[in-house]
Structures are given as C-alpha cells and as structure tokens.
C-alpha cells in the first residue's frame, strides 16, 4: 500500500534495499569490521536485491549525520571511503525523514517483546530435549543424530532448523563444536529442561537460569 | 551420508508397550523392560519415545549412589534443589514434580549398570509405586536375568520388549534411508549376514558402500563392486 506523502514513517519496508543495507551494516558491526558503500552495494547485488548506489550513498550520509555511523577513512586517491556502525539501534532499519531532518528509529518506537517462557512442544523444545539426551550420555552428536530423534512426530522439524538452533547454542556456550564436517557437537552446559530462547537481538535467554548469554559471532 | 528416518520393526512394540502400560489403572505394573543385544537401536528408540512425552531421560552410571541418582533425576525433571537437601527431600520434590506431569515417562537407559544394586533397584521401584509413572528400564540381554533376583521389581514389569536383529526388510529400509546410491539385493543380503543383523554394524557397512558408490560413480553398488 503506498504511503501518504508527508506522513512520518515509523514502519520501514523490510524488503527494501535500505533494510538489506542496514542488516549488512549490523552484520559487519558484529564482525567488528568497517565497510565501504561499494561493498554494501555489491553484497546486495549478490543477494539479488535491486539497489541504486546513489540511494545507498544518501542513506549512509543520513546515518552519518545522525551519529549512527562514523567515518573510518575518507575516500581519497581513488580509494573508497570506509565507515563503521557505532550505534546498533536494532533489527529495524532507521528511516531517513522526508524533511531531511535526521532519522527516525523505529526500534525505539516499538514495544519491546520480552520472551521469557519457551513454548512447550515447539521444534526448538524438541531439539533441546534431544540435545539433553546426548548430553546425558556425554556423547558427541551431529545435527543428523538430533534429526533422527525429533523427526516423525506431530511437529515436523527440518534439518536446517536443527542446524540453526545448534549453531545458536554453540555461540551461547551451551554446546561446543569441532572443526569437522559435518560439525559434531558436545553438551557443555545443560541448564535444565526449558529450551534456551533466541532473542531478537541475537543473544540467547536461558529460562532455566534466567540469564542472558551474549552470542559472539566469530570473525 | 544421507540421513532420513527409517522406521524399523523393533520400534513398533515399544510404542505399543508404552500405550499399554499408560492405559492401566493406578497401582498396576507400569514398568517397561526394554532389552536386547548391543547395537540394535534401543537407545535411539527410547530416545524418540522420551521426546514425545513429558518426563525424564536418565543414563545410568556405575558410579551412581541413591543420592546421586535422585539428584540426577531431579535435574532431568527440572526440580530446583538446595545444596543441603537430603535424599528424602529430593525424593519428595521428585514426587511433587511427577504429579504435575501429563502423559509422563521416565526412561533409565543402560539400566544393566545398576541392575545388581539392590538399593538402586528398590529406589526405582519406590518411585514407580508411589508416583505411578511408567518407567522404561533399558539394557542389554543380561538385565532380565539380573532383575529376576528382585521378584518384587520383576512383578512390576507390565511390558517386556525385546529388540531383535533386523531382517532384510529393515535392512532395505535402512539402506534406502542412509544411502544415496543404490544397493543390490544380493549385496544387502551379504551385508546383513556379515553384520549379524546388528544395526550399528550394518550402518558402518552401508557407509563403505556409499563411499565406494560415490568414489567410483556407481549408481547401484553390487557384490562385485565391493569385492565380496
């Protein structure tokens, strides 16, 4: 639905090029790396997102003005300017105001969703239960081993979903993994029967201990 | 190696046994004895059963004492304990927790490690008698004989499920699920014979078939390809 001209935009289009650009900037921030406009544009093109370089430049400029980004190196002698995200506002991309007066942060306007109780019987609850079975046996296991236990029930759980959740649990320190392919896991920390919850900010909340585990993404 | 789920015949009586003991009235023998030779898929089968019901899965250890077993079981059930809790207090907390479970099941795998310990066997019987929760005790062939020494425990076993060697139909099901290359009937029969119907050994044999098929780009691997 087209937006009314002049209206204050608080809910950005999540499929817009700017939303993808913002997601990429956040990713680089988590990896503690800076970026150039060219790198962002090339990344978006690789993902098949239509984007105009000039539009990305305008967006970066607005974020710089708002203090969300900072300049690491000015573009000189044919070298592109490099930038770094210094204020990670959240998952929703900041919106450039139409009057050119800075940005609106839709994350700040959003009512925070605090999820502290896992839903029993969900795919992740099943995966966690299977992980605890392997933990009891002090066994090394793969995503396929978990799949063998959880599959065939009322709730289908895909192998991809298992891979994603195991990776999250590895980042939060509940599991360890080795460098093999396919990756093998071992339980390091069995905190209790409730499955740890992946939060919107990428961290993991463990409802058994009521502790938030920050998830460090390896560089 | 491709991994898909392959229902095997041994799983069916286990599901049936659980439903049978669950349907029995309170006070009836609700224990399930799951036994069989190693490598027949008992642990996988009870693991799958555990995932579909509330309760706990415990993996027995030769180091268990009565207190350490209770603490372990409490942890599996999500019971919060204090450091100074006595064994009796832990047991009470376990009973309280079990009362809140619906469709509950306690699985004790590798029970043969503790099946000669009169204290632990009696404790498991006490949990069963007081709470009425179905308890599946899983172990190797020797477990049935060990438990005969405790008639009061043996009489609580409502269902006995013996895991048997897989047959050619199960072997075909496993091969289809685990191999992306084809396996001829005669090769499969030879592998089944060599593995003695033990799933763990059969899966290892099939991994070699898979590797040979992929390496030599063979669509359907036969006896000659494997040099048998």
């Amino acid at each position: 639905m087209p937006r009314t001209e002049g209206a204050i935009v608080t809910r950005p289009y999540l499929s817009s090029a700017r939303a993808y650009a913002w997601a990429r900037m956040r990713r680089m921030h988590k990896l503690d790396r800076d970026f150039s406009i060219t790198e962002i544009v090339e990344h978006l093109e690789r993902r098949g997102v239509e984007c105009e370089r000039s539009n990305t430049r305008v967006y970066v400029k607005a974020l710089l003005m708002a203090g969300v980004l900072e300049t690491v190196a000015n573009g000189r002698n044919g070298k592109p300017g490099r930038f770094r995200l210094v204020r990670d506002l959240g998952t929703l991309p900041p919106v450039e105001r139409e009057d050119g007066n800075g940005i609106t942060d839709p994350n700040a306007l959003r009512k925070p969703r605090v999820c502290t109780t896992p839903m029993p019987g969900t795919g992740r609850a099943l995966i966690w239960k299977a992980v605890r079975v392997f933990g009891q046996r002090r066994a090394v296991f793969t995503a396929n081993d978990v799949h063998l236990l959880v599959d065939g029930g009322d709730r289908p759980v895909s192998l991809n979903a298992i891979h994603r959740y195991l990776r999250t649990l590895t980042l939060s320190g509940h599991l360890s993994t080795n460098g093999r392919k396919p990756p093998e896991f071992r339980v390091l920390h069995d905190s209790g029967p409730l499955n740890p919850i992946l939060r919107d900010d990428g961290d993991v909340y463990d409802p058994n201990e009521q502790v938030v585990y920050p998830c460090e993404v390896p560089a | 190696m491709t991994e898909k789920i392959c229902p095997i015949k041994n799983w069916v009586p286990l599901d049936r046994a659980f439903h049978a003991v669950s349907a029995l009235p309170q006070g009836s023998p609700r224990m399930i004895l799951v036994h069989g030779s190693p490598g027949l898929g008992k642990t996988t089968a009870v693991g799958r059963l555990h995932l579909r019901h509330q309760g706990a899965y415990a993996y027995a250890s030769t180091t268990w004492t009565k207190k350490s077993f209770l603490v372990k079981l409490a942890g599996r059930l999500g019971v919060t304990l204090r450091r100074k809790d006595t064994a009796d207090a832990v047991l009470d907390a376990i009973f309280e927790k079990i009362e809140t479970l619906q469709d509950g099941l306690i699985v004790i795998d590798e029970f043969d490690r503790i099946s000669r310990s009169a204290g632990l066997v009696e404790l498991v019987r006490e949990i069963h008698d007081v709470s009425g929760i179905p308890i599946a005790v899983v172990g190797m062939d020797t477990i049935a004989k060990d438990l005969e020494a405790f008639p009061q425990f043996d009489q609580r076993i409502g269902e006995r499920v013996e895991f048997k060697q897989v047959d050619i139909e199960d072997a075909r099901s496993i091969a289809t699920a685990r191999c992306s290359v084809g396996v001829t009937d005669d090769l499969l029969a030879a592998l089944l014979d060599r593995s003695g119907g033990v799933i763990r050994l059969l899966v290892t044999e099939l991994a070699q078939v898979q590797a040979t098929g992929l390496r030599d780009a063979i669509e359907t691997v036969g006896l000659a390809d494997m040099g048998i």
Side-chain angles (χ1 to χ4, degrees), chain B:
Chain B
M1 193 181 231
T2 321
E3 297 267 359
K4 291 174 196 157
I5 306 308
C6 46
I8 57 169
K9 293 192 192 84
N10 278 331
W11 292 359
V12 179
L14 181 61
D15 280 340
R16 204 175 286 153
F18 174 73
H19 289 115
V21 296
S22 300
L24 292 173
Q26 190 81 7
S28 307
R30 281 181 158 183
M31 295 242 201
I32 306 168
L33 175 65
V34 183
H35 61 114
S37 302
L40 296 181
K42 298 185 295 295
T43 296
T44 302
V46 291
R48 285 173 60 86
L49 186 66
H50 158 65
L51 253 61
R52 279 146 193 79
H53 304 280
Q54 292 190 334
Y57 175 97
Y59 193 70
S61 167
T62 47
T63 61
W64 272 5
T65 61
K66 282 192 271 189
K67 175 78 184 277
S68 68
F69 163 59
L70 288 173
V71 169
K72 188 74 82 175
L73 186 59
R76 306 306 297 169
L77 288 165
V79 175
T80 312
L81 299 177
R82 288 169 299 179
R83 192 177 288 271
K84 59 182 179 183
D85 277 345
T86 60
D88 198 41
V90 178
L91 186 58
D92 284 342
I94 288 172
F95 286 141
E96 275 177 35
K97 182 70 182 181
I98 290 175
E99 269 182 33
T100 66
L101 301 180
Q102 292 170 343
D103 197 21
L105 168 72
I106 291 176
V107 175
I108 307 177
D109 200 358
E110 302 289 353
F111 194 76
D112 44 306
R113 289 176 179 165
I114 56 168
S115 59
R116 289 181 189 175
S117 163
L120 284 168
V121 170
E122 271 301 296
L123 185 53
V124 173
R125 184 175 73 91
E126 185 181 348
I127 293 170
H128 166 267
D129 287 357
V130 176
S131 68
I133 190 170
I135 299 179
V137 294
V138 188
M140 287 189 283
D141 293 323
T142 52
I143 188 176
K145 195 167 183 189
D146 289 345
L147 292 175
E148 281 174 14
F150 306 100
Q152 67 281 32
F153 188 95
D154 211 42
Q155 287 159 12
R156 263 73 174 183
I157 297 173
E159 292 285 334
R160 291 166 195 265
V161 180
E162 185 184 358
F163 271 56
K164 299 190 174 94
Q165 277 73 13
V166 292
D167 59 14
I168 191 72
E169 279 179 34
D170 283 335
R172 175 55 69 193
S173 170
I174 294 167
T176 308
R178 290 197 162 235
C179 284
S180 59
V181 297
V183 184
T184 59
D185 287 341
D186 50 359
L187 174 60
L188 191 61
L191 296 180
L192 182 63
D193 189 42
R194 221 153 74 167
S195 65
V198 175
I199 296 180
R200 194 178 290 150
L201 300 178
L202 181 65
V203 166
T204 310
E205 298 275 6
L206 286 170
Q208 288 170 3
V209 171
Q210 165 94 345
T212 305
L214 292 178
R215 188 192 60 213
D216 300 342
I218 307 168
E219 208 169 296
T220 304
V221 183
L223 276 172
D225 301 314
M226 296 301 293
I228 298 176

Side-chain angles (χ1 to χ4, degrees), chain A residues 49-127:
Chain A
V49 179
E50 279 184 34
C51 85
E52 287 178 21
R53 189 184 170 80
S54 58
N55 181 25
T56 310
R57 187 183 292 122
V58 169
Y59 190 46
V60 166
K61 196 175 170 187
L63 294 174
L64 278 169
M65 296 281 282
V68 176
L69 298 183
E70 70 172 15
T71 306
V72 176
N74 285 313
R76 273 187 200 149
N77 302 329
K79 286 187 178 176
R82 299 199 69 81
F83 311 96
R84 180 164 50 206
L85 183 67
V86 286
R87 280 172 56 209
D88 186 357
L89 301 174
T91 47
L92 297 178
V95 181
E96 183 197 5
R97 289 189 197 140
E98 287 192 1
D99 56 6
N101 194 14
I103 58 159
T104 299
D105 175 16
N107 300 287
L109 302 171
R110 198 166 64 150
K111 192 180 172 187
R113 186 169 69 94
V114 182
C115 183
T116 54
T117 312
M119 297 293 287
T122 59
R124 284 180 179 170
L126 277 177
I127 297 169

